[in-house]
Amino acid sequence: MWRMLRPDSVAFAFALLASGQPALAEALYLENCASCHGSDRLGGMGPALLPESLSRLRPEKAAEVIRNGRPATQMPAFGDTLGDANIQTLVDLIYQPLEVMPTWDETSIRASINPLGKNFADQPVFDADPLNLFVLVEAGDHHVSILDGDTFERLARFPSHYALHGGAKFSPDGRYTYLASRDGWVMVYDLWSLQPVAEVRAGINTRNIAISHDGRYLAVANYLPHNLVILDATSLQPVRIFDTQSRVSAVYQAALRSSFIVAMKDIPELWEINYSDTPPPGFGGAFVHSHEKGMVEALPEYLPVRVTPLSEPLDDFFFDQSYRHVMGTSRDGQGGKVVNLDVRAEIADLPIAGMPHLGSGITFDHEGHRVMASPHLKEAAISIIDMSDWKLIKKIETGGPGFFMRSHANTPYAWADVFFGPNRDQVHVIDKRTLEIVKTLVPAPGKTAAHVEFTRDGRYALLSIWEEDGAVVVYDAESLTEVRRIPANKPVGKYNVGNKISNEEGTSH
Ligand code: DHE
């Protein structure tokens, strides 16, 4: 069981030293790493060095980073001074969990708020359509690019925190984008002025963020600590922290319900937090709307919660357009459940094995029915589910398990990547009318091709070549021919402002 200690306390530093790590590792860490990554390993100028934060980095790669440094960052090369044995000792240390559960409370969050920009413009400082910009996450050197969705020129490129994850979120007018890192940092960037506005560290290990549809609140889902943090989306001040007693898997915005839906990793519950001024029945008392009142432990009715019990914890969710139903994947990957948020109960089983990646699902009309299409993380297939009776109507065989899927109301095609296996350089184009693969693109043979996003009008599809010397490839979405290749450093996700703020049916929400 974790003990709770403040990360900046002397007791915490001693607890780290006493956590069973051999003295050499501690000494090496304190001498070489602590000044940037924190004596507690929770991060500082550099990222946190905890197993939870490093889950996407193989230990061999971590050793390589310590040996050679990271280009375009402050991380120096230690190969000449430390030698292989000491580097391995450090790698072993940073993949060890902390013995003490660090806290990151209201005071830590407030103290971390950092204003970054000044002299913000009253209107966009460029000619491009501000609602057709793309926010492009480049994971190779932890940067973000802003692309003009008409000309595909890069308007800006700026450093992000280490390991951004999850989709960029946008203020309702599309002016600001919110970017979350796995280390708990959330940065707000002004797309009109092309400069960062401010940042806050809302957790130690964060899953994702969601913004309320009215732009007032930002919700941050954390694994460490076990909580959900609600920030004022403008000031970034915390307005309520929910102690969840569980890792929070993810938080989603359910605009039509004026709610955040919160998924728990360790308990079979879905939480719904209502942020309207007049919460519907079932949410408890009246809402006290005052940001000035600060932390709201003293105001139990503020942002009231109601809980939907589940038969088991669910991972990975997809919402129908009404936000009344949520589809979730079972932990064993052998199916899923449909949950009705109004009656607060599971109402159907999902007949789909092979770990469907529901979070990447899309909806469209097919032969008069609303259907949902989802790739699978463990099966070479796309499942098509009829959303009126939750039955599987077709399984499309693919070149391998996939991660992301995209479409747009203005195109007859849905695009699905093959993310795993020997065919990971393929992207399938599926005709939404026939549910058949009509073309398989291989934009860079041998290199992973993944994550598609459309321009606001659906005319072009942008696809990532997921390599450090990668690119964003722009396709004409009708002729399926390449029109442009923009060099990028391991481009991961890309997010079109207009599609996101209009909840376009073919993109993630
Ligand atoms: Fe993600 C979105 C969870 C691994 C890249 N991923 C999400 C979301 C969740 C999630 C809950 C929705 C967040 C949102 O947009 O608000 N991801 C998980 C996992 O549980 C998993 C499987 C394991 C983990 O390490 O957390 C996982 N994800 C990955 C990766 O390995 C990916 C490919 C590379 C990376 O950067 O870590 C990855 N996830 C992404 C991307 C999105 C995402 C690019 C946004 C997709 C979008 O288009 O909206």
Side-chain angles (χ1 to χ4, degrees):
M1 199 60 182
W2 270 323
R3 285 182 290 135
M4 306 288 281
L5 290 175
R6 283 191 55 80
D8 52 359
S9 68
V10 174
F12 186 90
F14 279 117
L16 171 71
L17 294 175
S19 69
Q21 303 302 336
L24 174 63
E26 293 161 4
L28 285 171
Y29 182 85
L30 291 176
E31 187 175 336
N32 297 288
C33 320
S35 61
C36 292
H37 296 279
S39 56
D40 44 26
R41 290 166 47 201
L42 300 187
M45 188 177 74
L49 297 178
L50 303 173
E52 292 86 350
S53 322
L54 299 170
S55 60
R56 312 307 306 161
L57 187 75
R58 285 178 294 111
E60 308 83 71
K61 180 80 180 155
E64 196 184 307
V65 173
I66 298 174
R67 193 174 299 115
N68 303 326
R70 239 185 220 288
T73 72
Q74 312 268 1
M75 175 69 189
F78 289 92
D80 290 344
T81 49
L82 287 182
D84 285 350
N86 284 342
I87 288 174
Q88 191 53 47
T89 302
L90 280 173
V91 171
D92 294 343
L93 173 89
I94 62 179
Y95 283 86
Q96 289 294 317
L98 290 180
E99 199 179 81
V100 284
M101 163 71 136
T103 58
W104 195 255
D105 58 12
E106 180 207 342
T107 314
S108 316
I109 297 172
R110 283 193 203 284
S112 73
I113 297 173
N114 193 8
L116 296 168
K118 54 182 183 207
N119 302 329
F120 297 105
D122 295 334
Q123 52 191 25
V125 295
F126 45 81
D127 292 332
D129 172 2
L131 297 186
N132 195 26
L133 301 181
F134 284 85
V135 173
L136 168 69
V137 174
E138 295 184 62
D141 59 352
H142 307 281
H143 274 64
V144 173
S145 288
I146 308 300
L147 303 181
D148 174 343
D150 295 320
T151 63
F152 305 112
E153 294 303 321
R154 201 182 238 107
L155 299 177
R157 190 170 195 273
F158 57 93
S160 71
H161 277 278
Y162 177 81
L164 296 187
H165 177 239
K169 301 293 171 337
F170 297 91
S171 57
D173 60 0
R175 172 168 183 172
Y176 299 102
T177 183
Y178 295 79
L179 303 159
S181 81
R182 289 192 187 254
D183 264 7
W185 282 98
V186 181
M187 179 198 265
V188 190
Y189 184 88
D190 179 7
L191 291 167
W192 287 8
S193 305
L194 296 176
Q195 59 169 321
V197 178
E199 62 185 7
V200 60
R201 191 174 190 184
I204 291 169
N205 188 247
T206 290
R207 297 291 295 164
N208 79 325
I209 54 174
I211 186 162
S212 61
H213 77 286
D214 57 12
R216 289 193 297 181
Y217 300 107
L218 193 72
V220 184
N222 288 324
Y223 265 8
L224 281 181
H226 294 173
N227 67 19
L228 182 90
V229 174
I230 311 277
L231 304 171
D232 178 300
T234 307
S235 67
L236 300 184
Q237 295 285 346
V239 295
R240 186 157 185 191
I241 299 174
F242 292 90
D243 179 0
T244 49
Q245 306 280 310
S246 160
R247 290 172 293 170
V248 181
S249 284
V251 56
Y252 302 91
Q253 176 230 81
L256 294 179
R257 307 174 72 85
S258 296
S259 289
F260 292 119
I261 311 294
V262 189
M264 302 296 173
K265 187 82 178 169
D266 308 312
I267 49 176
E269 290 178 2
L270 268 184
W271 289 18
E272 180 169 8
I273 298 173
N274 191 279
Y275 54 76
S276 70
D277 291 349
T278 49
F283 279 95
F287 179 84
V288 182
H289 179 67
S290 167
H291 291 201
E292 286 69 50
K293 294 201 175 166
M295 293 302 297
V296 201
E297 263 68 17
L299 300 171
E301 299 92 359
Y302 189 81
L303 299 168
V305 186
R306 68 180 190 184
V307 175
T308 296
L310 303 173
S311 55
E312 56 174 328
L314 295 173
D315 276 334
D316 200 12
F317 292 90
F318 187 84
F319 293 82
D320 69 359
Q321 299 294 91
S322 72
Y323 284 96
R324 193 173 305 129
H325 297 105
V326 192
M327 303 156 83
T329 316
S330 299
R331 194 65 47 93
D332 62 8
Q334 294 310 308
K337 301 276 182 208
V338 181
V339 180
N340 182 310
L341 289 170
D342 287 339
V343 298
R344 287 199 272 161
E346 294 170 352
I347 54 154
D349 288 322
L350 279 179
I352 41 175
M355 190 71 88
H357 192 211
L358 298 176
S360 290
I362 56 169
T363 54
F364 53 91
D365 287 329
H366 175 69
E367 295 181 352
H369 290 245
R370 196 72 180 162
V371 298
M372 183 266 189
S374 170
H376 290 249
L377 297 172
K378 294 212 170 137
E379 197 179 334
I382 304 281
S383 287
I384 313 285
I385 291 156
D386 187 329
M387 296 186 79
S388 56
D389 58 9
W390 312 107
K391 296 266 184 338
L392 181 70
I393 58 170
K394 176 146 189 188
K395 211 164 209 185
I396 304 168
E397 275 183 38
T398 62
F403 217 103
F404 301 107
M405 213 171 159
R406 276 292 197 278
S407 187
H408 191 286
N410 294 347
T411 169
Y413 303 123
W415 297 49
D417 56 44
V418 174
F419 199 81
F420 305 97
N423 297 324
R424 60 185 212 289
D425 54 5
Q426 297 182 353
V427 173
H428 298 303
V429 181
I430 296 161
D431 192 319
K432 293 190 279 190
R433 297 158 296 196
T434 60
L435 304 182
E436 300 288 345
I437 294 175
V438 289
K439 191 160 184 178
T440 295
L441 302 163
V442 183
K447 297 184 171 178
T448 304
H451 197 278
V452 174
E453 176 71 297
F454 285 80
T455 48
R456 190 182 171 202
D457 57 7
R459 259 188 83 189
Y460 298 98
L462 280 65
L463 164 59
S464 293
I465 307 295
W466 200 281
E467 304 277 340
E468 289 188 359
D469 60 347
V472 171
V473 185
V474 183
Y475 284 91
D476 181 307
E478 197 179 324
S479 65
L480 307 180
T481 51
E482 180 176 333
V483 295
R484 181 89 188 257
R485 208 167 265 236
I486 308 155
N489 192 334
K490 203 171 179 194
V492 182
K494 59 204 81 59
Y495 310 94
N496 180 276
V497 178
N499 290 342
K500 291 290 171 203
I501 63 172
S502 64
N503 272 353
E504 216 290 328
E505 65 180 23
T507 192
S508 60
H509 301 150

